[in-house]
Amino acid sequence: MKLHIITVGKPKLGYAQAGWEEYWARLKHYHQLRTTHVPDKHNDATHVLEAASTAYIVALSIPGRQLSSEGLASFLQKRELTGKETAFVIGGPEGLPQAVLDKADYQLSLGSLTLPHDLAMVVLLESLYRASTINSGHPYHK
């Protein structure tokens, strides 16, 4: 499956950089991955949507739909059947512009807590990795 992770900014804190690298390395065993880190100064709908271009857009937002690990695994399986790249988009510290949320095909919530921007990046990758192990029958998610 083709996954495109789009973030506004890069992980800046040491724990987030290490977490990003760890889960990116794990996740690439399951998917064709690419990433786009939109510069912080370009946290606008035009630049973010340009990065997503023709992909199925999953915008991360607090009011989005919350999924269990098994639910995310099922979501990924359904997306894989389409053959179309799926782009997960994480906004900057202020979130995503409304125009991106309006254009998104799906809004996903990591929970109702507000997470620091760097931590949200790591949580997304870990969640995708966990869902991928579920789909592959590996015991990681327990």
Side-chain angles (χ1 to χ4, degrees), residues 7-141:
T7 68
V8 174
K10 293 181 178 182
K12 293 175 182 62
L13 301 174
Y15 80 87
Q17 292 169 353
W20 176 275
E21 291 170 11
E22 176 67 25
Y23 287 106
W24 187 266
R26 292 182 185 197
L27 194 56
K28 72 180 181 181
H29 295 290
Y30 295 93
H31 304 286
Q32 294 177 28
L33 297 176
R34 69 185 182 114
T35 188
T36 301
H37 296 295
V38 176
D40 291 321
K41 65 183 178 181
H42 294 303
N43 185 15
D44 58 68
T46 302
H47 287 94
V48 173
L49 290 171
E50 182 180 293
S53 61
T54 61
Y56 180 91
I57 300 171
V58 178
L60 271 69
S61 68
I62 290 174
R65 184 160 181 203
Q66 293 184 34
L67 299 174
S68 65
S69 295
E70 291 81 2
L72 183 57
S74 177
F75 177 83
L76 289 179
Q77 282 181 324
K78 289 174 187 169
R79 293 298 319 134
E80 186 171 23
L81 293 175
T82 70
K84 187 175 181 182
E85 181 179 70
T86 300
F88 288 86
V89 184
I90 302 175
E94 302 299 319
L96 287 167
Q98 187 61 48
V100 174
L101 296 173
D102 292 343
K103 178 80 173 167
D105 297 295
Y106 192 89
Q107 289 188 36
L108 177 67
S109 175
L110 297 177
S112 56
L113 293 172
T114 300
L115 298 175
H117 180 62
D118 277 12
L119 182 57
M121 291 185 211
V122 176
V123 170
L124 173 64
L125 288 186
E126 192 282 336
S127 298
L128 291 171
Y129 174 68
R130 183 177 300 269
S132 299
T133 63
I134 291 168
N135 286 340
S136 296
H138 289 104
Y140 173 77
H141 80 285

